[in-house]
Amino acid sequence: MTLTAPKPLLLTAAVVLAYAVCALSLKVCPNCGSTPVPYPLSTAPDCGDQLYKIRCNAGSLFFDSVNNTYPITSISPSIQRLTISPAPFLGNTCIASDLPSNGLQLNSSAPFNITGSNTIFYLNCSANIMNSPLNCTSNSLCHVYINGTAGSGCVDAPLCCAFRAGGSTTAYRIRVRDSGCKAYRSFVNLDYGLPVSRWPPPGVELLWVLPIEPTCRTQGDCDSKSTCGPDPNSAGGVSRCFCNSGLQWDPVAGLCATECKDPDGCGKDRTGLIAGLIVGIGVALLAVLIAFLFYKRHQRIKREQDRLTREREEILNYGGGKSAKVFTGKQIKKATNYFSKDNLLGAGGYGEVYKGILEDGTVVAVKCAKLGNTKGTDQVLNEVRILCQVNHKCLVGLLGCCVELEQPLLVYEYVSNGTLLDNLQGGTRGLLSWNHRLSIAHATAEGLAYLHFSAVPPIYHRDVKSSNILLDEKLKAKVSDFGLSRLAHTDLSHVSTCAQGTLGYLDPEYYRNYQLTDKSDVYSFGVVLLELLTSQKAIDFNRPQDDVNLAVYVQRLVEEERIMDAVDPMLKEGSSTLELETMKALGFLAVGCLEERRQNRPSMKEVAEEIEYIISIATAKTTD
Ligand SMILES: *[C@@H]1O[C@H](CO)[C@@H](O)[C@H](O)[C@H]1NC(C)=O
Ligand SMILES: *[C@@H]1O[C@H](CO)[C@@H](O)[C@H](O)[C@H]1NC(C)=O
Ligand SMILES: *[C@@H]1O[C@H](CO)[C@@H](O)[C@H](O)[C@H]1NC(C)=O
Ligand SMILES: *[C@@H]1O[C@H](CO)[C@@H](O)[C@H](O)[C@H]1NC(C)=O
Ligand SMILES: *[C@@H]1O[C@H](CO)[C@@H](O)[C@H](O)[C@H]1NC(C)=O
Ligand SMILES: *[C@@H]1O[C@H](CO)[C@@H](O)[C@H](O)[C@H]1NC(C)=O
């Protein structure tokens, strides 16, 4: 038997040996030209994870879609994202060069999808696209783009539409076709406030799913830190290299690593590197001076932090509710096991959310906002204090800015029952009775009314949607994530790209003046009411084309005087006439919230009062 290790493998080993301090892996692919190919991306059969194939050609990386190939322009392994350059226009026309194969289409069984960070314009559309849920009106952002790129072929193609990707169908494809739109442009993390000339080059950001342990046939396929064994989660007799005891699969690095106990002893920390450099240069004196300055700075920061902590605890406790506590970065790191990937509950436009267990056993959710500055901290403080007041039972308050992490952290009570969206779409939808739904609607409306009318200054949520409404074990609603979008928009123009609302919930007037007001929250809340009433998704491409947008769909039924046809049949079943009347009443209230013109929509206070009234009717019935 001849076992010749392929050349690239040896190369990789050498490269990795040169850098690795903690752990060693043979699985990372060699650089492509000068571009590193992070795990699990694979450019060859003997490295990376074969599910994550990309191509290295003449020193450049390419991504193969189902029918096409696109250059990869950047890769961010720590957040599992890569950006590809979309197909160019054909010559001087407004036709995409991938039009013949219907645009960008990903293999939906491969572990890549298109992220919600992409703002996409469909260009050179035919008129029949106009009744889609996309915004194809003459003041949509794609017209700003066309106007800003005079000379491009698209100036003469007046029909275009704008939307954000990442919905259920746009997760895998950006479709162009002869009978629809003939070209597209996509921009990653687009800051709508910038003039077109300062927009980034076009790109489509893709996300990859974190890989599980690599497959193996024999122990020889695994390294010394793992053992080849059958995968209990897969039926087909697949074996994988499972990490030996004491070690843990690190899907980002693609190796078995010791759990990191000491934050300063683990590869990622820079202090070691900096110290090494200084010693290397041999300027010992400088090191002493720097150490001294660091020490002074550290002391100053610590004093400042202690002061802030005290002040914050005072403010937090002032508002009533359960007493709040401010945590240090150390405590939070410990609670979340050093932000271990195992504790990652999810990642959204505003940052990542980790599950944590405090020393007293309280389970919390810790949110790392994607903000690099401390200026936002006081606003964060505001938001969380209000969270405490709205929810009365809030267990924990907030950590201000953790200097070590340079990120503001929010600590929320960990709400175990998932979001309203999960509960409306999962198999548990039958558990949400009409009374539950009314009380969820009421609690949410009250929370929002509080933000609008009692907070000083008023806070607009800006992203009201069923996935931002958390349900506790008693199915009581808690509004989350409010005000964060404003935070993200204050002064960090380079990160101020977070979604301004979500497709399907977004106030149509936003496109007229790019302003979100309290009435925008009312609009989005109207959509949530419809979800409660219908158990349907705000945007669902499985509905007939004209009905994809839930708001449009229900408004049509209302015009046809068939509002009850929209109500979830499971809810209607066995309901009394009076209950059916309250459903109808909530439906009309929702439609009122969805009024095209802001001034015609009720205020959040009025909405909350109306729901209270509807509840009083519904409960009057039960006491009969
Ligand atoms: C728009 O697409 C059509 C093909 O359907 C093409 O004939 C036309 O030239 C395109 N418009 C522009 C401005 O390129
Ligand atoms: C794209 O690929 C799919 C699957 O391989 C194939 O069925 C389809 O015909 C291709 N489309 C075009 C336009 O080439
Ligand atoms: C899509 O991916 C699956 C699994 O990776 C593969 O079996 C299949 O052939 C791919 N389909 C296309 C059209 O590339
Ligand atoms: C188009 O751009 C010009 C400047 O290039 C600007 O004056 C004009 O207002 C823009 N029109 C629209 C509709 O945005
Ligand atoms: C894309 O993939 C990620 C990772 O599996 C997943 O969390 C996300 O929901 C997917 N997005 C869509 C729109 O399917
Ligand atoms: C698109 O924006 C325009 C202008 O603000 C608005 O009138 C229209 O209702 C919006 N359409 C959709 C589908 O959101």
Side-chain angles (χ1 to χ4, degrees), residues 359-419:
E359 255 166 3
D360 67 358
T362 311
V363 182
V364 293
V366 179
K367 176 167 219 146
C368 294
K370 267 191 208 153
L371 292 169
N373 77 347
T374 47
K375 249 186 168 175
T377 314
D378 290 328
Q379 279 172 315
V380 174
L381 178 66
N382 244 330
E383 322 297 359
V384 174
R385 183 179 56 169
I386 286 156
L387 176 79
C388 292
Q389 291 182 346
V390 170
N391 292 328
H392 292 299
K393 292 189 315 208
C394 176
L395 282 179
V396 285
L398 123 140
L399 166 77
C401 178
C402 171
V403 170
E404 281 165 285
L405 295 162
E406 295 190 342
Q407 277 177 333
L409 295 176
L410 303 188
V411 181
Y412 297 119
E413 180 179 1
Y414 180 48
V415 182
S416 54
N417 234 334
T419 68

Side-chain angles (χ1 to χ4, degrees), residues 157-194:
L159 293 186
C160 72
C161 308
F163 67 103
R164 284 183 80 91
S168 56
T169 52
T170 54
Y172 297 104
R173 71 174 177 196
I174 301 175
R175 181 156 84 150
V176 289
R177 58 203 160 110
D178 284 324
S179 59
C181 305
K182 266 69 94 185
Y184 64 97
R185 267 285 161 269
S186 168
F187 295 91
V188 181
N189 290 335
L190 185 60
D191 180 347
Y192 297 166
L194 289 179

Side-chain angles (χ1 to χ4, degrees), residues 164-336:
R164 284 183 80 91
S168 56
T169 52
T170 54
Y172 297 104
R173 71 174 177 196
I174 301 175
R175 181 156 84 150
V176 289
R177 58 203 160 110
D178 284 324
S179 59
C181 305
K182 266 69 94 185
Y184 64 97
R185 267 285 161 269
S186 168
F187 295 91
V188 181
N189 290 335
L190 185 60
D191 180 347
Y192 297 166
L194 289 179
V196 178
S197 57
R198 290 178 51 202
W199 286 8
V204 179
E205 188 188 67
L206 309 181
L207 176 76
W208 70 78
V209 179
L210 279 172
I212 54 175
E213 292 88 346
T215 56
C216 55
R217 261 164 298 162
T218 65
Q219 180 59 34
D221 297 334
C222 304
D223 63 8
S224 62
K225 298 191 164 184
S226 56
T227 309
C228 189
D231 181 355
N233 297 324
S234 121
V238 178
S239 292
R240 298 186 179 279
C241 300
F242 289 108
C243 296
N244 297 338
S245 71
L247 300 176
Q248 257 196 348
W249 172 242
D250 175 348
V252 175
L255 43 73
C256 295
T258 38
E259 246 179 276
C260 183
K261 291 273 155 52
D262 172 12
D264 298 329
C266 288
K268 282 180 192 144
D269 203 295
R270 283 220 199 84
T271 37
L273 194 70
I274 292 170
L277 259 171
I278 291 165
V279 170
I281 299 163
V283 189
L285 252 176
L286 193 62
V288 170
L289 182 65
I290 288 175
F292 179 71
L293 290 177
F294 261 110
Y295 175 73
K296 281 305 238 191
R297 182 167 167 269
H298 181 78
Q299 279 209 319
R300 207 180 58 236
I301 290 171
K302 182 136 184 10
R303 269 201 309 276
E304 188 67 6
Q305 269 191 326
D306 286 348
R307 188 182 61 78
L308 274 175
T309 303
R310 272 197 311 279
E311 277 177 12
R312 277 173 193 159
E313 279 181 345
E314 270 162 31
I315 298 173
L316 285 165
N317 290 327
Y318 175 75
K322 197 146 175 172
S323 66
K325 184 165 167 26
V326 174
F327 297 91
T328 65
K330 257 202 198 111
Q331 286 170 313
I332 293 298
K333 278 191 197 166
K334 205 165 158 206
T336 58

